[in-house]
Amino acid sequence: MSLPALLTQHIARRPQRIALLQHVAEQGSITRAAKAAGISYKAAWDAIDELNNLADQPLVERSTGGRGGGGARLSAEGERVLRLYQRLQALQTQMLEAAEHSSDLDLLGRLMLRTSARNQLQGRISGLRREGRHDRISLTLGGGLEIEALITRGSTERLELTLGATVLALLKAGWLQLLGADEQAEHGSNCLKATVEEVLADDGEQREVRLVLDNGQTLCAIAEQPWLEQHQVRAGCEIRVQFHPSYVLLGVPV
């Protein structure tokens, strides 16, 4: 099975995150891998979450709470991706030598996209339904999970979306809403079951909540501290997260 186009592009434009896989393989710990890579523990977690979400299968397998912040190792798929990265490094050297002008590399950089959205989920289009001026796009994520996006007809045409196409779903952390056991999901919204992986401090009364979906993909949400205390949200508890289809932004490889 070939590597997904979205992950391949990610490797090409953000090699430092793939290089983190090498440190995980060598150190056996996310904490030690972060130190070896010269980044914070939180940045290492963010990088690994993003890589796992973009891949068909998790690249890093980990356990929290162990000595040194928890153990971690590469999965078989992670080892394969690391080998691919090492081959891409050799190709990158050849590309740099082949560039005719220094401005060529600047142009390539401008053609690549980086986004502020914390959540990036890879999926395949399994449904496309017209609703007035908008299209409702059904996406199948890993493990059979499904979400919907609501975009304009013009966006569907501009992105050339078709059934079976691979897309990247982008969600800002502030667009996700956690639901307590006694709270009902809004009609028409996406609602997914998740397990709380960690609750981190944020500015003021807000907290960053890391969630793991049933398929192993991860999400990051922002919630108010009083709400978290009221619903006794802590690592290991099960929770639901909802977001309206109009909040799902779609991207495709270029």
Side-chain angles (χ1 to χ4, degrees):
M1 180 174 58
S2 62
L3 200 66
L6 291 169
L7 180 56
T8 302
Q9 287 199 350
H10 185 93
I11 292 174
R13 70 177 183 264
R14 304 195 70 180
Q16 71 276 15
R17 288 203 162 185
I18 306 299
L20 181 61
L21 296 179
Q22 179 68 54
H23 293 298
V24 171
E26 295 172 349
Q27 303 295 331
S29 159
I30 294 177
T31 299
R32 293 192 293 271
K35 184 177 181 179
I39 60 177
S40 68
Y41 175 73
K42 181 179 183 297
W45 272 79
D46 288 344
I48 290 171
D49 283 344
E50 185 172 342
L51 292 172
N52 282 344
N53 285 348
L54 290 174
D56 286 338
Q57 304 173 41
L59 307 183
V60 176
E61 298 173 345
R62 60 201 171 185
S63 59
T64 59
R67 182 179 179 183
R73 67 182 180 88
L74 297 188
S75 64
E77 181 70 359
E79 293 175 350
R80 188 176 74 86
V81 170
L82 182 57
R83 291 193 298 270
L84 172 62
Y85 165 67
Q86 293 167 342
R87 292 197 296 269
L88 283 177
Q89 281 186 309
L91 292 174
Q92 183 182 44
T93 300
Q94 296 176 18
M95 182 192 72
L96 292 174
E97 293 174 348
E100 297 179 3
H101 305 285
S102 60
S103 60
D104 291 344
L105 300 181
D106 291 336
L107 173 60
L108 290 176
R110 291 194 298 270
L111 295 178
M112 298 300 182
L113 172 67
R114 295 182 69 179
T115 173
S116 63
R118 290 293 306 277
N119 301 302
Q120 303 182 29
L121 302 173
Q122 180 178 266
R124 294 186 181 277
I125 297 178
S126 56
L128 201 164
R129 186 170 71 253
R130 298 286 172 84
E131 294 186 1
R133 296 182 178 179
H134 293 80
D135 288 339
R136 186 174 293 272
I137 312 294
S138 298
L139 302 177
T140 299
L141 309 177
L145 289 183
E146 292 189 354
I147 63 173
E148 291 186 336
L150 193 63
I151 63 176
T152 64
R153 182 84 50 80
S155 294
T156 300
E157 296 172 351
R158 179 168 52 83
L159 296 176
E160 300 179 346
L161 301 181
T162 58
L163 291 176
T166 298
V167 298
L168 193 63
L170 306 175
L171 281 161
K172 296 185 67 173
W175 293 346
L176 304 182
Q177 180 184 2
L178 301 181
L179 296 175
D182 58 342
E183 296 178 324
Q184 296 293 323
E186 296 179 0
H187 178 71
S189 287
N190 293 296
C191 186
L192 301 174
K193 294 180 180 179
T195 300
V196 176
E197 185 173 59
E198 190 174 11
V199 180
L200 301 174
D202 206 331
D203 295 332
E205 289 294 311
Q206 293 186 322
R207 296 292 183 267
E208 181 180 306
V209 184
R210 293 179 183 273
L211 306 169
V212 180
L213 302 178
D214 289 344
N215 65 355
Q217 290 181 312
T218 58
L219 291 175
C220 175
I222 302 296
E224 300 291 332
Q225 177 65 17
W227 187 92
L228 294 174
E229 294 176 351
Q230 176 186 352
H231 294 277
Q232 300 181 354
V233 176
R234 57 179 61 89
C237 72
E238 296 184 354
I239 203 167
R240 292 169 298 148
V241 57
Q242 73 169 5
F243 48 93
H244 194 271
S246 62
Y247 288 162
V248 181
L249 308 180
L250 299 183
V252 297
V254 295

